[in-house]
Amino acid sequence: MDWNPQTLQFLSETFLHTLSPAPEPRRRAESALSEASDRPNFALAVLRLIAEPSVDDQIRQAAAVNFKNHLRLRWSPSSDETAATIIDSEKAQIKALIVPLMLSASPKIQSQLSEALALISNHDFPKSWPDLLPELVANLKNASQASDYASINGILGTANSIFKKFRFQYKTNDLLLDLKYCLDNFAAPLLEIFLKTASLIDSSANSGVILRPLFESQRLCCRIFYSLNFQELPEFFEDHMKEWMTEFRKYLTASYPALEGSGPDGVAVVDELRAAVCENINLYMEKNEEEFQGYLNDFALAVWTLLGNVSQLSSRDRLAITAIKFLTTVSTSVHHALFAGEGVIPQICQGIVIPNVRLRDDDEELFEFNYIEFIRRDMEGSDLDTRRRIACELLKGIAMHYGDAVRSIVSAQIQILLSSFAANPRENWKDKDCAIYLVVSLATKKAGSSYVSTELVDVQSFFESVIVPELQSPDVNGFPILKAGALKFFTMFRAQISKHVVLRFFQDLVRFLAAESNVVHSYAASCIEKLLLVKDEGGRARYTSEDITPIFPVLMNNLFNSLKFPESEENQYIMKCIMRVLGVADISVDVARICIEGLASLLGEVCKNPKNPVFNHYIFESVAILVKRACERDLSLISIFEASLFPRLEIILANGVTEFFPYTFQLLAQLVELNRPPIPPIYMQIFEILLSPDSWERGANVPALVRLLQAFLQKAPSEISQGDRLTKVLGIFDKLIKTKSTSEQGFYVLNTVIENLQYDVIKPYISHIWAALFSVLQQSRTVKLIKSLLIFMSLFLIKHGASNVVDSMNSVQPGIFIVIMNQFWIPNLKLITGAIELKLTAIASTRLICESPVLLEPAASESWGKMVDSIITLLSRPEQDRVEEDPDMPDITENVGYTATFVRLHNAGKKEEDPLKDIRDPKEFFVASLSRLSALSPGRYPKVINDNVDPANQTALLQLCNTYNLQIV
């Protein structure tokens, strides 16, 4: 794309149309830009447009955004992206132009170009862009001499973006070399501008207008300091620690009335700098404690004092959180003695912890107007960056060394809060919330279990005296935050509260499902759901269907009704509870009818606009578990379930609700398997759709389609044998087997064909099957593929006999069976894992050496002996001794195409059938078969075994013979 007046006009008009409120011109413009972006020098032309002062600012800003996104996609595209890479000559010109253009641009365009520059630097800096840092440093020097803080902050902002990589990447030699280069070039200029700006701040303390860009400059310097010090303490920063720390402490202790008195915006400017300082000193405490200790006392006092003056406004949260984090780091370090002084811990508890744990107006607003975010923070632990949680983390940190003192003070504080509430519940309800929050947040979880403990209170007595009054409150809508806190406590300590106590309050939990507060009915549902997961010793479920039966009808009614509350129409906590209850309860025919209609109705609604994938998953899991538990008990329900589900599943398929295709196919598979032959005609119509090649185009559908195809092969083998259906099925196998990411799914299809169809039916296709497998084997010999091949051959042999396996393979290529056996079967048999797979392959291999004429000939003695050796290895050695870590593990990324979007329904999974139910013990079968064979030719086989079987395996074989009182003669 040449730069000329026509290009300027085209790009100007096109970017203008992308800003149009009318969809049609906007789409046309976006399409034109997409087409133009494939042409060489497109990015360069857009950059020249941005530099053109005659063009309207809005157009240039739209162009800057497009330029940044274009670079993200095409500067260094990943191997799976089809976008063409920007050519080297164009890259060189962009690098030459971007820095001066960024520095002269307006703030909005400057921020976009700064991000674009950082994108380039991620790939090219410093090795392929050695001029960048010297250019930035030279510009910084010129801007500093002119005190041009618009340019200074642009340069510092760019440097900040470039250096961020040192925070997130693992320490490697290459990274440290890059870091050294940056330090050598930028550490001294950074300190110089930092100290100059500090001096200007001191002399301009009374002018808020002048101070704003200066404070922003210092904040950026602090962020660059953080990046350059993150990996390790550089020598330059150690040598100049005093200069840095002196200024850092000043910003924490000095006041700036010209800014702080100018309103919230001014306070925010100062707070952001102070927060950046707190992050820097916290970094030094974590990584450079020894070098930093000389400054620690002063900073601890400064931060402590600062926290006492930080208000509860949410706009000041970041400063409060970073400051408390610093004190938390100090509390867990070897310098924890700072907290040992008289009255320090009570002062921290009363002056820092309690004020920050207390509920604020912002928390109440979040509770009422954004319940999902409130729960995410409060119940799901994503609140580490909230004042409430970080204040509790500070207490936990101090308790590591002063546990008794902390427990004593906090326990006393909890009692004070509860007494305050008791004195005036209506006015002081937040005190009770604060007490409950402290107990819950300071509880410790036992690793790997749901068991939670606390030494602050006796759980049982706290539950009875503090929590039960909330649970038994007749008004489920009164003081909803207290109700939520009580339910959270109940959920948290569910394993410690004895069963007979819990059962007293099951009905109260069910009542709270009718609470108007979204948080309260969500917490009630979550509490019920988590209680049903509690296990006693031995892994037995503590709560069973007998415990649910008395409340089951009203429980299900309230659960479904709670989904009618505003904002809770797609409440995932309610839906998960429905799923869990259906998995435990004793489901009668009448209840099953009501539940399936309710779930089908919900399914019909979410089909219109799927929004919440978690909620949707639990709907399908609930349907699957209901189908599984109710229909298996009473087959008459199948037709009722079909009548409710089919219209909704039909909508999904007809309207192309692709997110739900995998779920739909899994449910259909479940229903097919429940039907008794002959399969109803409606299913055979679905089967015809299943055979269409179009159905298999979307990778996410493949595992679910295979699952459905397996169900049809199992339940309707005679129907599949008719017409050209089997040809189409094997066509699907052929397509799947040829793609690495779906080859395993191809084997699932093939195994089900072999297992369920008569040999006469599949005989015409066997040559084609072997040819396809041999072709794939020539191209790829992964462990996964070879194991799948062994399992298929074993299943074929078990179902249709050894002679059919040998003869059908040799009909494709004479003598190929012995080659495949020697190259693949014998050496890889030891890699088989899984109880059913091990049994299948061991017995098939045993039958091969004992029944197949080709292996019983004297010429095949060596192969016979080596197969015996492999069978003994498989049967006698534990899995970890036979199977190395799967060398195919990296290939897992190739499955991402479907695994990222395919979600297996746990309750609609295929039951693994043992094809050899009549044989109990494969070891006994092996030894007995060998014993019978050797009796027919005494003296022959002991010599073959001695010549070809590993001595350790010979010993193992002797032990097996002794175990089963058999011998090989």
Side-chain angles (χ1 to χ4, degrees):
M1 181 177 274
D2 296 328
W3 182 247
N4 52 42
Q6 290 79 17
T7 301
L8 174 61
Q9 185 178 358
F10 164 72
L11 289 175
S12 298
E13 289 178 356
T14 309
F15 279 116
L16 179 63
H17 288 313
T18 64
L19 302 172
S20 170
E24 198 47 47
R26 193 170 65 245
R27 281 196 208 102
R28 278 201 305 271
E30 287 167 354
S31 176
L33 283 173
S34 178
E35 191 178 321
S37 68
D38 288 327
R39 291 157 65 185
N41 294 320
F42 171 78
L44 187 59
V46 174
L47 192 60
R48 291 189 187 280
L49 172 73
I50 298 165
E52 188 59 53
S54 63
V55 177
D56 182 79
D57 261 8
Q58 268 194 311
I59 294 173
R60 292 163 68 199
Q61 193 178 331
V65 173
N66 177 278
F67 175 75
K68 177 190 69 179
N69 292 334
H70 183 80
L71 295 197
R72 179 177 283 121
L73 186 66
R74 296 179 188 245
W75 193 270
S76 182
S78 58
S79 57
D80 60 338
E81 287 173 349
T82 54
T85 309
I86 296 170
I87 58 175
D88 289 344
S89 59
E90 185 180 1
K91 285 182 175 181
Q93 291 182 74
I94 289 170
K95 287 179 190 174
L97 291 172
I98 192 167
V99 173
L101 178 55
M102 181 205 70
L103 295 178
S104 62
S106 63
K108 287 183 179 176
I109 294 174
Q110 188 180 70
S111 68
Q112 296 297 329
L113 291 179
S114 179
E115 284 185 52
L117 196 154
L119 283 167
I120 300 171
S121 71
N122 278 343
H123 299 289
D124 290 18
F125 177 78
K127 293 182 180 63
S128 301
W129 200 358
D131 300 337
L132 173 60
L133 209 50
E135 187 178 0
L136 288 175
V137 170
N139 279 293
L140 182 62
K141 187 175 182 181
N142 293 335
S144 176
Q145 286 172 350
S147 292
D148 176 6
Y149 272 86
S151 293
I152 289 169
N153 290 348
I155 295 163
L156 292 175
T158 301
N160 181 39
S161 298
I162 294 168
F163 298 151
K164 273 181 184 175
K165 73 174 187 175
F166 298 120
R167 302 183 203 172
F168 308 121
Q169 294 184 17
Y170 287 112
K171 187 188 288 188
T172 62
N173 286 336
D174 285 346
L175 187 76
L176 291 177
L177 282 171
D178 289 355
L179 176 58
K180 183 180 184 307
Y181 170 80
C182 295
L183 287 164
D184 290 346
N185 284 276
F186 207 81
L190 178 69
L191 178 58
E192 189 179 327
I193 192 67
F194 182 69
L195 293 176
K196 175 183 176 174
T197 309
S199 175
L200 286 172
I201 288 173
D202 292 344
S203 62
S204 311
N206 297 320
S207 174
V209 177
I210 295 173
L211 284 176
R212 279 175 186 269
L214 300 181
F215 266 74
E216 173 61 10
S217 179
Q218 296 301 69
R219 186 191 71 81
L220 288 166
C221 287
C222 284
R223 301 313 291 143
I224 294 169
F225 177 99
Y226 187 86
S227 297
L228 295 179
N229 282 270
F230 189 87
Q231 294 290 340
E232 54 188 33
L233 177 59
E235 187 179 345
F236 179 88
F237 284 94
E238 187 172 2
D239 292 344
H240 295 277
M241 196 182 292
K242 185 176 181 182
E243 291 103 305
W244 284 104
M245 296 302 154
T246 301
E247 294 304 317
F248 284 172
R249 184 172 174 275
K250 185 174 73 182
Y251 296 131
L252 296 180
T253 54
S255 60
Y256 300 91
L259 272 178
E260 292 173 288
S262 65
D265 287 352
V267 173
V269 170
V270 181
D271 278 2
E272 283 171 10
L273 174 56
R274 287 171 174 159
V277 167
C278 287
E279 289 194 314
N280 286 344
I281 60 175
N282 191 53
L283 179 72
Y284 267 46
M285 259 316 293
E286 288 178 335
K287 299 197 170 191
N288 311 308
E289 192 176 320
E290 188 180 336
E291 295 83 357
F292 181 67
Q293 63 180 331
Y295 304 94
L296 176 58
N297 283 359
D298 285 346
F299 274 112
L301 180 61
V303 170
W304 190 332
T305 307
L306 179 68
L307 275 169
N309 298 318
V310 177
S311 69
Q312 293 298 308
L313 292 172
S314 60
S315 58
R316 310 200 72 186
D317 281 358
R318 185 160 179 269
L319 173 58
I321 290 163
T322 53
I324 296 171
K325 272 184 179 174
F326 170 71
L327 292 181
T328 305
T329 304
V330 175
S331 73
T332 58
S333 74
V334 295
H335 302 287
H336 56 77
L338 287 170
F339 297 94
E342 185 71 32
V344 172
I345 296 175
Q347 196 175 335
I348 286 176
C349 188
Q350 289 157 16
I352 296 175
V353 176
I354 298 300
N356 283 294
V357 168
R358 283 185 70 82
L359 205 67
R360 296 178 299 168
D361 292 345
D362 288 351
D363 299 316
E364 291 185 70
E365 279 183 29
L366 197 67
F367 182 93
E368 190 170 347
F369 298 114
N370 189 350
Y371 83 95
I372 293 171
E373 178 62 18
F374 182 90
I375 293 173
R376 195 178 69 80
R377 291 184 186 180
D378 186 55
M379 182 73 99
E380 296 179 3
S382 66
D383 61 340
L384 268 177
D385 280 338
T386 65
R387 291 202 198 197
R388 295 190 101 186
R389 177 58 66 90
I390 202 67
C392 290
E393 292 302 310
L394 173 58
L395 272 186
K396 284 182 180 179
I398 299 170
M400 282 177 63
H401 299 286
Y402 307 101
D404 291 341
V406 169
R407 281 187 287 274
S408 170
I409 292 161
V410 176
S411 295
Q413 194 67 47
I414 287 169
Q415 294 310 314
I416 291 167
L417 289 165
L418 291 174
S419 298
S420 167
F421 168 78
N424 190 341
R426 183 160 293 278
E427 289 296 319
N428 300 336
W429 65 270
K430 287 184 182 179
D431 289 341
K432 182 172 184 178
D433 172 77
C434 188
I436 295 172
Y437 188 90
L438 281 168
V439 174
V440 170
S441 297
L442 295 173
T444 52
K445 287 188 177 181
K446 187 179 178 184
S449 76
S450 61
Y451 192 85
V452 181
S453 62
T454 179
E455 295 180 23
L456 293 175
V457 296
D458 176 76
V459 171
Q460 298 283 0
S461 62
F462 190 87
F463 180 75
E464 290 286 356
S465 62
V466 178
I467 304 302
V468 167
E470 298 301 330
L471 295 178
Q472 292 186 324
S473 167
D475 181 8
V476 295
N477 297 314
F479 296 103
I481 292 180
L482 279 185
K483 302 294 188 294
L487 290 166
K488 185 182 173 187
F489 180 95
F490 199 169
T491 306
M492 176 77 81
F493 293 100
R494 60 191 178 277
Q496 283 90 298
I497 303 169
S498 56
K499 181 175 178 177
H500 76 276
V501 173
V502 169
L503 290 178
R504 281 167 44 205
F505 304 107
F506 245 47
Q507 287 183 330
D508 291 306
L509 292 176
V510 175
R511 275 193 314 119
F512 280 110
L513 292 170
E516 291 169 6
S517 163
N518 299 91
V519 176
V520 172
H521 59 242
S522 299
Y523 277 19
S526 183
C527 187
I528 294 167
E529 188 263 326
K530 294 285 193 295
L531 280 167
L532 295 181
L533 287 174
V534 175
K535 299 276 193 296
D536 284 326
E537 284 184 27
R540 292 186 309 278
R542 183 178 293 181
Y543 303 97
T544 63
S545 57
E546 288 79 19
D547 302 314
I548 292 179
T549 298
I551 57 165
F552 184 55
V554 67
L555 169 58
M556 292 310 295
N557 183 62
N558 283 13
L559 281 168
F560 277 111
N561 281 340
S562 61
L563 291 169
K564 296 173 184 173
F565 282 111
E567 305 295 323
S568 269
E569 296 88 352
E570 295 190 14
N571 186 315
Q572 65 197 53
Y573 306 98
I574 300 290
M575 203 65 242
K576 191 176 185 182
C577 186
I578 289 173
M579 178 197 74
R580 193 74 64 207
V581 171
L582 290 175
V584 174
D586 190 8
I587 303 170
S588 66
V589 173
D590 292 338
V591 168
R593 288 171 190 257
I594 295 166
C595 288
I596 197 61
E597 192 49 53
L599 290 170
S601 175
L602 287 171
L603 194 52
E605 284 302 310
V606 297
C607 284
K608 295 172 186 174
N609 182 18
K611 296 195 292 283
N612 184 340
V614 178
F615 177 80
N616 298 337
H617 178 78
Y618 289 137
I619 288 183
F620 282 100
E621 280 288 12
S622 299
V623 172
I625 203 165
L626 191 59
V627 169
K628 178 181 173 183
R629 299 191 70 231
C631 294
E632 283 180 2
R633 175 188 289 189
D634 187 345
L635 293 176
S636 69
L637 283 169
I638 295 174
S639 58
I640 294 165
F641 278 35
E642 288 169 345
S644 284
L645 289 174
F646 271 17
R648 277 77 180 197
L649 300 183
E650 197 176 330
I651 289 169
I652 291 168
L653 297 175
N655 294 354
V657 189
T658 53
E659 306 95 310
F660 291 169
F661 278 12
Y663 290 129
T664 299
F665 298 138
Q666 290 176 84
L667 286 181
L668 286 169
Q670 201 181 6
L671 290 167
V672 168
E673 286 173 347
L674 284 167
N675 270 277
R676 288 177 178 162
I679 296 291
I682 189 168
Y683 286 105
M684 294 318 294
Q685 291 170 22
I686 293 166
F687 183 69
E688 295 302 329
I689 298 170
L690 180 62
L691 294 181
S692 162
D694 293 344
S695 302
W696 297 81
E697 288 304 314
R698 191 165 176 266
N701 295 339
V702 168
L705 285 169
V706 167
R707 166 89 180 85
L708 179 55
L709 185 52
Q710 287 179 291
F712 276 113
L713 287 165
Q714 186 182 339
K715 284 291 181 175
S718 59
E719 289 91 335
I720 289 167
S721 306
Q722 296 164 13
D724 64 349
R725 286 171 175 164
L726 185 53
T727 305
K728 290 180 178 177
V729 169
L730 291 171
I732 291 166
F733 146 74
D734 206 25
K735 180 181 178 180
L736 296 177
I737 204 80
K738 286 176 181 172
T739 305
K740 210 170 183 182
S741 61
T742 58
S743 63
E744 196 171 23
Q745 300 290 332
F747 274 107
Y748 293 160
V749 174
L750 185 57
N751 291 345
T752 316
V753 167
I754 291 296
E755 194 169 0
N756 291 284
L757 302 186
Q758 296 298 318
Y759 190 70
D760 289 345
V761 174
I762 59 174
K763 188 175 181 181
Y765 304 94
I766 287 295
S767 295
H768 159 78
I769 291 170
W770 286 123
L773 291 174
F774 296 158
S775 172
V776 172
L777 205 55
Q778 281 181 319
Q779 295 162 14
S780 170
R781 297 188 176 183
T782 64
V783 171
K784 187 188 290 184
L785 180 77
I786 292 168
K787 283 163 68 176
S788 297
L789 179 66
L790 293 193
I791 290 165
F792 163 68
M793 291 192 293
S794 299
L795 189 63
F796 191 166
L797 188 149
I798 293 298
K799 287 292 177 181
H800 304 299
S803 60
N804 281 332
V805 173
V806 176
D807 295 346
S808 63
M809 287 175 78
N810 286 337
S811 70
V812 177
Q813 185 180 327
I816 190 70
F817 173 77
I818 286 291
V819 174
I820 294 290
M821 185 184 70
N822 286 333
Q823 287 188 14
F824 297 103
W825 195 323
I826 291 171
N828 294 295
L829 187 60
K830 65 181 181 181
L831 300 177
I832 298 297
T833 55
I836 293 175
E837 290 85 351
L838 185 149
K839 181 180 177 183
L840 170 70
T841 51
I843 291 170
S845 304
T846 302
R847 286 184 55 179
L848 189 63
I849 59 172
C850 294
E851 297 173 16
S852 174
V854 72
L855 270 166
L856 293 174
E857 292 173 5
S861 290
E862 185 180 349
S863 296
W864 187 95
K866 287 181 176 176
M867 180 66 93
V868 168
D869 188 56
S870 286
I871 298 170
I872 297 167
T873 299
L874 181 67
L875 291 174
S876 65
R877 295 190 194 175
E879 191 176 299
Q880 62 268 26
D881 292 349
R882 316 185 260 107
V883 183
E884 297 176 10
E885 273 194 42
D886 192 345
D888 296 335
M889 214 43 191
D891 293 343
I892 200 162
T893 53
E894 294 173 26
N895 293 340
V896 164
Y898 67 80
T899 54
T901 46
F902 169 74
V903 183
R904 188 174 73 88
L905 285 174
H906 175 75
N907 293 294
K910 186 177 187 299
K911 286 182 183 173
E912 290 302 322
E913 298 283 345
D914 181 356
L916 291 157
K917 292 191 183 99
D918 54 327
I919 299 173
R920 188 181 59 82
D921 184 352
K923 294 178 182 177
E924 184 178 12
F925 180 84
F926 169 61
V927 179
S929 300
L930 273 189
S931 179
R932 281 195 300 273
L933 179 67
S934 69
L936 298 174
S937 305
R940 174 182 170 186
Y941 292 104
K943 183 179 186 315
V944 178
I945 290 169
N946 189 59
D947 291 346
N948 295 286
V949 176
D950 178 81
N953 279 351
Q954 290 185 38
T955 304
L957 178 58
L958 187 62
Q959 289 173 342
L960 285 172
C961 289
N962 292 336
T963 300
Y964 298 104
N965 199 24
L966 293 163
Q967 58 181 344
I968 297 163
V969 295

